[in-house]
Amino acid sequence: MTAALSIRNLRKTYGNGFEALKGISLEVQQGDFFALLGPNGAGKSTTLGIVSSLVNKSSGDVEVFGHSLDTAHAQAKMCLGVVPQEFNFNQFEKVMDIVTTQAGYYGIPPRLARERAEYYLKKLGLWDKRNQVSRMLSGGMKRRLMIARALVHEPRVLILDEPTAGVDIELRRSMWAFLQEINRAGTTIILTTHYLEEAESLCRNIAIIDHGRIVKDTSVKALLQQLNTETFILDINPPQAALPALNGYQARLEDDHTLVVDVEKTQGLSRLFSELSSQRIEVQSMRNKANRLEELFVSLVDKNLTDEKNA
Amino acid sequence: MKPRELFIAFWTIVVKEIRRFMRIWPQTLLPPAITMTLYFIIFGNLIGSRIGEMGGFDYMEYIVPGLIMMSVITNSYGNVVSSFYGTKFQRHVEELLVSPIPNWVILSGYVVGGVARGVGVGLIVTLLSLFFTDLQVHHLFVTISIVLMTSILFSLGGFINAIYANSFDDISIVPTFVLTPLTYLGGVFYSIQLLPEFWQGVSMLNPILYMVNTFRYGILGVSDINIVFAFSMLLAVIAVLFSYSLYLLQKGKGIRS
Ligand SMILES: Nc1ncnc2c1ncn2[C@@H]1O[C@H](COP(=O)(O)OP(=O)(O)OP(=O)(O)O)[C@@H](O)[C@H]1O
Ligand SMILES: [Mg+2]
């Protein structure tokens, strides 16, 4: 099966001489829900910009459903829907006009364009606003408008550059549900995000990019399995003045009633509990620390930085 | 894209362009109507009656074609330069870049948008002039084709200006320092026969003189210049500007980093 997106050895040096991409290769399979992760300035938008013809590449190849951007760019563009990071619609046009105009650019006849616009504006909760000038929408609405606009020609791949930045939690959840729905219906989805929770709960596959290089390209599952240790925070009673002896566990006391323990996959938790109860220490509540993916992310990016310095 | 899809895409741009200048009509349609009415009153009626004849016609009759042409030129140029610069500035040029529309269709769409405004304002000014004088068209075909070609040429000029422009100042430099002087010196208000021979020669280097005079020929049947030469020159310039615009679009100059 041809990949939905195939990127080979992509490089980009901007006009000011800055090398934003240093040879990136990626494959996204059809039907995938794919996340591109990375810190600010890593090159995510540059990569997606090249894929969506907004940025000129310096070298390398990009194919969308087997259509090369160099030799079959019209076919490639037909397969792509793009939701950019920054608002890029005409602030003076009405919501409905923005969506139907975009449909026209893909050669969709006016009547069908209006039907599609109605369908997607309703789906995204913007139908009430259809006659409003886009400048008057809230930030979250503007982002949804860009999603409706990107879907109006029913692309096979939807690319979203930080779709949930600046969107409140409730709306974010409903946007996730919507993206999952269209993904189930067959649309391949590629998104960038800074929220690891988002990648973890939505995406099947993930690539981490940093300083213009891919530092990890794997499935979310495999990535999570890489995490051997998990850190737990335990509220204990009675208060302890000194760290209780916990055979084999890495532990420290945060304060006299908060115990922090690193638990390796192989160790399990039951022995920890029996160790504690044998010392008559009661566990009142327990939670695990922060986002595990976040820790991994930080460690990968740190490693890349050290590698770079050493290189 | 199939021909039918290409046409839909083209027409979408044209409609969007027309919608834009209609939406802001107090900035686009009203000012030329007011300015030109003032020209008609002051130069045509008040001063014109003292000037007497120009090129064998009433002064009013003589300047009306020139003023119509002046409106066509400024409005065609102005429409495309501000619309396309705005498209760049607000980044919705990206809507076009992600879509499969070929560059020649994008360019044609904007040019036809500029022609719509240029010709539209030209018509408004023509209607207004009827309050001051009787217009009889001498050569309909010459009149219509010179208006269209002039409008296309300046729309292309506006497009190129917008591509190079990096600020709102950049879009007013050419109209102020190039177009306006060339138009005023392009035989809108006088026949170059009035000038000393040397300045007649210099005036012949001004392309706008050819357009104004060809149009005047279409309406009045008199001209300071050779009509066939004017048409050939216009065609050549249009071809060059069109190809150059396409080249800039292809390269992504000013719109793709
Ligand atoms: N037009 C440009 N000219 C020069 N450098 C640029 C340009 N656009 C981006 N860059 C640089 O390229 C690098 C990558 O930028 P990019 O926008 O791709 O990052 P990103 O991963 O999307 O970051 P963020 O998470 O902040 O959106 C950055 O260092 C940025 O400063
Ligand atoms: Mg970005």
Side-chain angles (χ1 to χ4, degrees), chain A:
Chain A
M1 199 162 60
T2 37
L5 174 66
S6 152
I7 295 177
R8 274 186 304 273
N9 213 5
L10 190 62
R11 288 171 181 277
K12 172 67 186 177
T13 306
Y14 279 107
N16 59 4
F18 183 80
E19 193 181 17
L21 298 181
K22 300 167 183 164
I24 276 187
S25 299
L26 266 186
E27 283 230 329
V28 179
Q29 297 309 319
Q30 292 186 27
D32 200 356
F33 206 129
F34 190 92
L36 194 57
L37 252 62
N40 286 135
K44 304 180 294 294
S45 297
T46 303
T47 307
L48 298 187
I50 292 172
V51 171
S52 40
S53 308
L54 301 176
V55 176
N56 286 327
K57 67 182 182 194
S58 300
S59 68
D61 294 302
V62 178
E63 284 181 8
V64 184
F65 279 91
H67 304 298
S68 158
L69 278 188
D70 295 326
T71 56
H73 67 270
Q75 287 95 319
K77 285 168 162 183
M78 278 288 186
C79 297
L80 270 183
V82 183
V83 182
Q85 182 170 4
E86 280 163 55
F87 302 133
N88 70 342
F89 43 76
N90 189 334
Q91 306 277 329
F92 302 106
E93 293 249 24
K94 293 183 183 148
V95 168
M96 186 71 177
D97 290 341
I98 288 174
V99 181
T100 51
T101 299
Q102 188 70 22
Y105 292 165
Y106 289 87
I108 297 169
R111 182 180 309 175
L112 182 59
R114 280 193 298 272
E115 280 171 22
R116 295 253 183 99
E118 177 173 348
Y119 177 78
Y120 286 107
L121 286 177
K122 280 183 173 160
K123 271 263 169 220
L124 287 150
L126 287 172
W127 185 239
D128 294 349
K129 305 279 179 192
R130 64 185 175 281
N131 290 319
Q132 258 197 29
V133 175
S134 63
R135 178 167 36 103
M136 318 264 249
L137 298 178
S138 76
M141 292 175 190
K142 287 179 179 166
R143 213 153 274 288
R144 281 179 284 153
L145 168 59
M146 296 204 296
I147 298 182
R149 184 186 62 182
L151 287 170
V152 74
H153 63 292
E154 314 210 309
R156 300 171 77 182
V157 194
L158 181 63
I159 290 186
L160 307 105
D161 199 353
E162 294 187 35
T164 53
V167 171
D168 70 37
I169 296 191
E170 193 183 344
L171 205 61
R172 189 179 303 165
R173 303 263 163 198
S174 77
M175 221 182 238
W176 288 2
F178 175 72
L179 292 179
Q180 276 167 326
E181 181 188 329
I182 61 172
N183 178 244
R184 270 195 301 274
T187 310
T188 307
I189 295 188
I190 301 172
L191 56 77
T192 73
T193 179
H194 287 282
Y195 304 109
L196 291 134
E197 180 203 3
E198 185 160 281
E200 188 174 349
S201 60
L202 281 178
C203 301
R204 273 187 288 283
N205 290 298
I206 202 167
I208 296 178
I209 176 172
D210 186 33
H211 286 91
R213 281 186 224 283
I214 301 282
V215 293
K216 199 90 203 170
D217 182 4
T218 177
S219 74
V220 172
K221 242 195 208 145
L223 196 61
L224 289 173
Q225 269 164 8
Q226 273 202 353
L227 295 163
N228 294 322
T229 53
E230 219 174 324
T231 306
F232 291 94
I233 301 171
L234 286 67
D235 290 320
I236 50 173
N237 196 32
Q240 302 289 313
L243 185 68
L246 296 170
N247 199 7
Y249 289 99
Q250 286 282 345
R252 56 204 169 273
L253 267 184
E254 209 156 88
D255 51 48
D256 58 5
H257 59 272
T258 314
L259 184 66
V260 182
V261 190
D262 296 330
V263 181
E264 281 179 30
K265 273 247 164 61
T266 48
Q267 291 180 306
L269 283 171
S270 41
R271 205 167 51 79
L272 174 66
F273 283 111
S274 53
E275 292 258 350
L276 284 168
S277 66
S278 71
Q279 298 174 48
R280 299 187 188 287
I281 299 173
E282 212 178 291
V283 178
Q284 291 190 311
S285 67
M286 178 177 98
R287 62 204 144 91
N288 60 357
K289 196 185 161 191
N291 190 312
R292 299 170 301 147
L293 207 53
E294 223 144 81
E295 286 174 30
L296 179 71
F297 178 74
V298 170
S299 74
L300 280 169
V301 168
D302 280 350
K303 182 174 170 300
N304 183 45
L305 202 64
T306 353
D307 290 354
E308 238 174 51
K309 282 204 184 113
N310 296 342

Side-chain angles (χ1 to χ4, degrees), chain A residues 12 52-56 77-78 86 88-93 101-102 104-109 149, chain B residues 1 4-5 8-9 12-13 16 19 23 90-92 94-101 251 256-257:
Chain A
K12 172 67 186 177
S52 40
S53 308
L54 301 176
V55 176
N56 286 327
K77 285 168 162 183
M78 278 288 186
E86 280 163 55
N88 70 342
F89 43 76
N90 189 334
Q91 306 277 329
F92 302 106
E93 293 249 24
T101 299
Q102 188 70 22
Y105 292 165
Y106 289 87
I108 297 169
R149 184 186 62 182
Chain B
M1 288 174 97
R4 190 179 133 74
E5 294 172 328
I8 291 173
T12 304
I13 299 178
K16 182 191 70 150
R19 203 165 58 213
R23 185 171 57 220
Q90 283 196 50
R91 304 181 63 151
H92 53 266
E94 296 182 0
E95 294 177 336
L96 291 162
L97 297 180
V98 299
S99 74
I101 315 183
K251 236 179 49 172
R256 248 185 278 129
S257 40

